[in-house]
Amino acid sequence: MAFKPVSEVYYDPYAVGIERDPYPVYRRLREESPLYYNEEYDFYALSRYEDVERGLVDSTTYSSSRGGILELIKADIEIPPATLIFEDPPFHTVHRRLLSKVFTPKRMNVLESRVREYCIQALDSVDGSGRFDFVADLGRQMPMRVIGMLLGIPTEGQEAVRDEADAHVQTEPGKPREFVEGNLANGEIFADYLDWRAAHPSDDLMSELLKSEFEDENGTVRQLTRQEVMTYVSVIAGAGNETTCRLIGWAGKVLADHPDQRRQLAEEPSRIPNAVEELLRFEPPAHHTARYITCDVELYGQNVARGNVMTFLNGSANRDDRRFPDGDNFDIRRPMGPHLGFGYGIHYCLGAALARLEGRVALEEVLKRFRDWDVDYDNIKMASTAIVRGWGALPTFVG
């Protein structure tokens, strides 16, 4: 019989109360139950930084091939080919190498002027109103324009692409998402765009993917199939919109809670890049990453059997005092080492350089206009998704 640890701590990834503020539970998990088992949903969890970091690099023991979300792994459905985030080597190695040529820090930094332009446009639309929603007015606008421009989606089609991506991660509060065959994003919304780009190539990611040649896992030199390109584009569009939107929302909330540090950033903009890193540590958009256990593994003196699901709690690891002293405190002056805000190992976020750029520019432009703001607590709303944690609405009063 597989080991099932007994713990007085209760962690439920779907509980609305815990989701709103999971950090007290995380702290108890790290101290009292570093190997945790949830009987109701039948999964294990690791919460300490060292354990999460070690697990995320071990793709042999902890497989991504059945998905990276607890409900998806439990559903045991076929993952569409070229779904990069749900692959193991050698497939993942081949597909990531192909995309890594596009998402380089050097190439992303060239985009800064466009990112700033989109931020300014978004902020101009609310200037003088006395109110500003970090999510609706900026988080759902600027990243959408940036990723749409990168992919080659016309301006008039970008909102539909964003809304389609959002729809595939939305969940009902307090309930697991139901995964069945065929309800994973397959990129069909991009079919017409791809056909157009095949006939009219341009300087964008879709055109580049359509023409790229690579050596696949069988040693065959070929181009991506049409379905593979659609899946790639779907994954990129979803990741490029959702996580950066949540980062911007958290920037608004956390800096409202720490007005002295907010004023310091306005006075010393050179500290903004480090503040973005601290935001990603303190309130990472992605809090948990699930993996299928491929072989028996011993943890804390106990055997966890093959076939179980392990959830790595990145959000907890980022607050672990063993790695980040006084980890529950936000500090823009914190000497920043590696955090798990973008994951770790072979699935480290390919768009990390772009997200950092967008977060930095967004804060620079917001702080130029609004030195002070207060959250409108009567109208804020948490987003409910299967993948990331953050605000669905964060209206503020700006001065």
Side-chain angles (χ1 to χ4, degrees):
M1 179 180 294
F3 164 69
K4 310 294 185 188
V6 177
S7 172
E8 295 182 1
V9 186
Y10 180 70
Y11 169 65
D12 178 347
Y14 311 111
V16 175
I18 294 176
E19 178 74 358
R20 195 166 187 88
D21 182 13
Y23 297 108
V25 175
Y26 286 165
R27 176 168 288 278
R28 288 194 63 191
L29 287 174
R30 293 194 301 268
E31 302 308 320
E32 301 173 32
S33 189
L35 174 63
Y36 175 78
Y37 176 71
N38 180 293
E39 185 173 4
E40 180 179 3
Y41 297 109
D42 187 28
F43 71 90
Y44 290 86
L46 290 169
S47 51
R48 293 179 178 176
Y49 186 96
E50 183 180 18
D51 294 329
V52 174
E53 182 185 56
R54 183 187 300 117
L56 289 177
V57 299
D58 185 0
S59 60
T60 302
T61 303
Y62 303 106
S63 172
S64 301
S65 63
R66 299 193 182 200
I69 305 167
L70 174 61
E71 308 97 292
L72 180 55
I73 297 174
K74 291 290 185 181
D76 193 24
I77 63 177
E78 185 176 353
I79 306 295
T83 308
L84 183 72
I85 56 176
F86 300 151
E87 291 183 323
D88 292 328
F91 305 101
H92 176 270
T93 306
V94 171
H95 295 151
R96 186 178 177 95
R97 185 183 300 126
L98 189 61
L99 278 183
S100 64
K101 297 175 182 177
V102 177
F103 285 94
T104 63
K106 181 178 180 180
R107 185 166 186 170
M108 294 301 101
N109 286 334
V110 173
L111 297 173
E112 179 165 342
S113 63
R114 298 296 295 274
V115 172
R116 197 172 299 279
E117 176 187 341
Y118 295 138
C119 282
I120 291 170
Q121 289 174 359
L123 294 171
D124 280 347
S125 68
V126 297
D127 213 4
S129 68
R131 294 179 64 85
F132 172 58
D133 190 317
F134 274 82
V135 177
D137 297 325
L138 185 57
R140 283 177 57 81
Q141 302 302 320
M142 179 268 287
M144 169 190 70
R145 301 300 179 200
V146 173
I147 206 68
M149 179 265 295
L150 276 174
L151 288 172
I153 305 296
T155 302
E156 62 271 17
Q158 290 172 2
E159 289 194 10
V161 167
R162 178 201 63 201
D163 294 345
E164 172 85 359
D166 287 351
H168 277 285
V169 298
Q170 294 299 313
T171 60
E172 186 176 346
K175 294 184 179 180
R177 180 180 172 189
E178 184 179 353
F179 286 95
V180 296
E181 296 285 354
N183 80 338
L184 288 174
N186 58 14
E188 281 296 330
I189 191 173
F190 300 103
D192 290 342
Y193 295 128
L194 280 175
D195 292 341
W196 169 258
R197 284 304 177 202
H200 305 86
S202 184
D203 182 24
D204 55 58
L205 182 53
M206 271 198 288
S207 299
E208 190 158 334
L209 289 172
L210 284 164
K211 70 183 181 183
S212 292
E213 287 193 345
F214 69 104
E215 184 177 315
D216 69 16
E217 64 278 1
N218 299 313
T220 302
V221 176
R222 65 177 180 88
Q223 291 183 305
L224 291 167
T225 66
R226 184 172 181 271
Q227 182 56 58
E228 285 173 332
V229 175
M230 286 199 298
T231 302
Y232 266 141
V233 172
S234 179
V235 170
I236 294 167
N241 278 299
E242 184 73 11
T243 53
T244 309
C245 175
R246 303 306 166 213
L247 168 61
I248 291 170
W250 281 118
K253 176 63 167 61
V254 173
L255 291 177
D257 293 340
H258 299 82
D260 291 345
Q261 295 191 60
R262 179 180 62 199
R263 291 189 204 100
Q264 186 175 12
L265 288 178
E267 293 166 2
E268 301 178 64
S270 62
R271 294 191 181 277
I272 290 177
N274 199 72
V276 170
E277 296 304 311
E278 177 68 345
L279 282 164
L280 287 162
R281 180 200 70 83
F282 188 72
E283 288 288 9
H287 266 235
H288 37 74
T289 305
R291 297 285 187 263
Y292 176 80
I293 303 175
T294 63
C295 59
D296 291 4
V297 60
E298 186 168 311
L299 296 161
Y300 292 94
Q302 305 293 337
N303 183 72
V304 180
R306 173 187 181 277
N308 280 290
V309 177
M310 181 65 73
T311 298
F312 296 106
L313 299 178
N314 303 41
S316 171
N318 272 355
R319 297 282 191 105
D320 191 346
D321 295 331
R322 298 165 186 81
R323 178 62 183 80
F324 301 102
D326 207 12
D328 281 328
N329 281 342
F330 177 76
D331 183 3
I332 61 171
R333 292 177 173 270
R334 183 185 297 274
M336 188 54 63
H339 57 74
L340 303 177
F342 289 120
Y344 200 69
I346 64 171
H347 287 287
Y348 182 81
C349 178
L350 266 172
L354 177 58
R356 286 185 166 107
L357 169 65
E358 291 176 313
R360 172 176 63 80
V361 173
L363 270 181
E364 288 171 354
E365 293 302 323
V366 167
L367 288 167
K368 284 178 186 177
R369 302 192 189 211
F370 312 129
R371 295 296 183 98
D372 296 291
W373 60 81
D374 296 305
V375 173
D376 177 4
Y377 284 100
D378 290 336
N379 292 295
I380 61 175
K381 181 177 68 175
M382 288 288 286
S384 182
T385 79
I387 301 174
V388 297
R389 174 179 174 269
W391 297 99
L394 193 83
T396 62
F397 304 105
V398 294

